Amino acid sequence: MSGAGFIPYGRQDISEEDIAAVVDVLRSDFLTQGPQVPAFEAAIAEATRAAHAVAVNSATSALHVACLALGLKPGGLVWTAPNTFVASANVARLCGAEVDFVDIRDSDYCMDPDALEAKLAQAERKPDILIPVHFAGQSADMKRIGAIAKAHDIRVIEDASHCIGGRYDGQPIGACPHSDICVFSFHPVKIITTAEGGLATTQDKPLADLMGLYRSHGVTRDPDLMARKHAEPWEYDQVALGLNYRMTEMQAALGVTQAARLDDFIAHRHKMARRYDAALADLPLILPWQNPDSHSALHLYPILIDTDKTNRTRREVFDHMRAANIGVNVHYQPVHTQPYYLSLGFRPGDFPVSEWVYARALSIPLYHGLTEAMQDRVIAALGDALR
Ligand SMILES: *Cc1c(COP(=O)(O)O)cnc(C)c1O
């Protein structure tokens, strides 16, 4: 494939300003626990209209501290969607809790509120926490999911790993009108990056304080949170059992300069997605539906091979694209079909919509550095693959 460089399905976009910001930190007094983490938290809180933002070293860590802050205990129960990365379910297991799944809708590929209601009606035990996942950058139906959770006294964590910069029902994702906590990822394939990194937003100060404690050993010097009211000036209090999930100053500085470009990143993704919508409309594909309530962050452009209209298999299309040096990917192998979850008793067939989508799914390149010429190569290769 000489002359045709590799096009990944997603990648970071790093500017000279990003590099300078990280280098400045390396020359400064603080590599961790300095001013950059609070600055990044303030930037994301402002962008999402959340009262509080807690930055950590990954979205997995953010989901974990969110579960801990909501009081998830061994023997507790979390329900999430099968169409996600394994971390959405694993964090419950890390708290010693049980996991179950609610299948997705075939429109937005997110947790189905009807399936949620049906499962709750039959459940012997209600979950303590629901973790809906905003697949591909588009919010799940949070108005309904939030209302159902409220009626059943269930707490809600949004896994918005795909979604920084997205909007739902007129508000930024992260404003939490229908949830307790909302979690973002800053892995390099996501919308903005801190290399590794994650963040939890909430409107609830006690929850933010607890997540801050769990992020850093359960240790505090905040007089409001300390157990000893007359501590000596050198004393800190460990008031909970926590972890070290701190984000570094280099990561947070990168996050600040990346966050300044968030609107540009989202606008480019929308422009390129509209080009895909037009160019792929006549191929035997099911293109990603856009919910009119949502302005997706468009982390992914997930197409489904329409097996009613073509004899080409997803595997054939995948192989053709990879041979053309185009890094297509598949999101997601349903979590309940992973060997670890099979070992807990889940079975293929348990969540048929997620499995139906997975059998057809292919994520094609969408990222800030994707040019129209590169995208035309993807479109041409897909046309060849399906002809
Ligand atoms: C990327 C991702 C995560 C994990 O994010 P990390 O920052 O890599 O820990 C969790 N959930 C979903 C849906 C993701 O896409």
Side-chain angles (χ1 to χ4, degrees), residues 58-61 63 84-85 87-88 133 159 161-162 185-187 190 196-197 332:
S58 71
T60 306
S61 301
L63 289 164
T84 186
F85 185 59
S88 317
V133 179
D159 184 343
S161 290
H162 299 182
S185 173
F186 309 119
H187 182 279
K190 309 285 165 80
E196 297 281 358
Y332 282 102

Side-chain angles (χ1 to χ4, degrees), residues 255-333:
V256 169
T257 50
Q258 286 266 301
R261 291 198 287 156
L262 182 54
D263 291 346
D264 283 350
F265 287 157
I266 301 290
H268 184 75
R269 286 171 182 272
H270 273 269
K271 183 181 140 211
M272 300 314 267
R274 280 198 302 271
R275 284 189 93 237
Y276 274 143
D277 290 343
L280 305 180
D282 296 331
L283 292 176
L285 297 170
I286 299 168
L287 301 182
W289 175 72
Q290 297 301 308
N291 182 342
D293 272 358
S294 270
H295 187 66
S296 176
L298 284 170
H299 164 50
L300 300 173
Y301 192 90
I303 60 176
L304 305 191
I305 311 302
D306 191 343
T307 48
D308 291 340
K309 294 189 184 153
T310 178
N311 293 324
R312 291 274 184 268
T313 65
R314 187 260 309 274
R315 177 60 195 267
E316 285 168 342
V317 178
F318 180 95
D319 287 346
H320 182 96
M321 299 300 280
R322 285 284 177 101
N325 227 4
I326 295 168
V328 290
N329 213 329
V330 173
H331 299 92
Y332 282 102
Q333 302 174 59

Side-chain angles (χ1 to χ4, degrees), residues 102-374:
V102 179
D103 210 349
I104 58 171
R105 310 199 276 204
D106 65 6
S107 53
D108 58 11
Y109 313 147
C110 295
M111 182 182 281
D112 181 348
D114 291 330
L116 173 62
E117 272 186 328
K119 195 175 175 91
L120 281 168
Q122 296 191 340
E124 285 165 29
R125 235 180 109 196
K126 283 182 206 165
D128 303 289
I129 298 175
L130 277 180
I131 307 183
V133 179
H134 302 335
F135 181 72
Q138 176 159 267
S139 177
D141 186 346
M142 289 306 297
K143 282 185 275 188
R144 277 194 65 203
I145 292 172
I148 295 165
K150 201 166 188 179
H152 290 270
D153 200 22
I154 302 166
R155 313 303 293 270
V156 179
I157 301 169
E158 297 172 70
D159 184 343
S161 290
H162 299 182
C163 267
I164 189 74
R167 301 173 72 82
Y168 171 70
D169 198 24
Q171 290 192 65
I173 307 278
C176 298
H178 309 288
S179 68
D180 297 284
I181 295 169
C182 182
V183 166
F184 300 103
S185 173
F186 309 119
H187 182 279
V189 296
K190 309 285 165 80
I191 312 289
I192 65 172
T193 191
T194 61
E196 297 281 358
L199 181 143
T201 60
T202 182
Q203 303 292 3
D204 183 302
K205 180 152 194 321
L207 282 179
D209 287 343
L210 279 170
M211 292 192 286
L213 280 173
Y214 288 120
R215 155 177 74 182
S216 193
H217 308 285
V219 160
T220 183
R221 292 178 186 275
D222 178 344
D224 292 341
L225 302 179
M226 287 176 78
R228 293 177 284 189
K229 291 305 165 201
H230 304 287
E232 301 293 347
W234 59 84
E235 285 180 332
Y236 49 82
D237 276 4
Q238 186 194 345
V239 296
L241 183 60
L243 301 131
N244 180 351
Y245 278 170
R246 293 189 300 259
M247 177 179 274
T248 68
E249 289 286 288
M250 290 80 77
Q251 291 170 302
L254 178 55
V256 169
T257 50
Q258 286 266 301
R261 291 198 287 156
L262 182 54
D263 291 346
D264 283 350
F265 287 157
I266 301 290
H268 184 75
R269 286 171 182 272
H270 273 269
K271 183 181 140 211
M272 300 314 267
R274 280 198 302 271
R275 284 189 93 237
Y276 274 143
D277 290 343
L280 305 180
D282 296 331
L283 292 176
L285 297 170
I286 299 168
L287 301 182
W289 175 72
Q290 297 301 308
N291 182 342
D293 272 358
S294 270
H295 187 66
S296 176
L298 284 170
H299 164 50
L300 300 173
Y301 192 90
I303 60 176
L304 305 191
I305 311 302
D306 191 343
T307 48
D308 291 340
K309 294 189 184 153
T310 178
N311 293 324
R312 291 274 184 268
T313 65
R314 187 260 309 274
R315 177 60 195 267
E316 285 168 342
V317 178
F318 180 95
D319 287 346
H320 182 96
M321 299 300 280
R322 285 284 177 101
N325 227 4
I326 295 168
V328 290
N329 213 329
V330 173
H331 299 92
Y332 282 102
Q333 302 174 59
V335 176
H336 68 284
T337 65
Q338 290 289 348
Y340 173 78
Y341 286 93
L342 293 176
S343 81
L344 299 179
F346 293 101
R347 288 290 166 260
D350 284 350
F351 302 99
V353 184
S354 297
E355 293 172 40
W356 186 91
V357 169
Y358 166 60
R360 292 159 179 76
L362 197 66
S363 296
I364 59 177
L366 186 60
Y367 54 93
H368 196 70
L370 183 72
T371 64
E372 292 190 0
M374 292 157 84

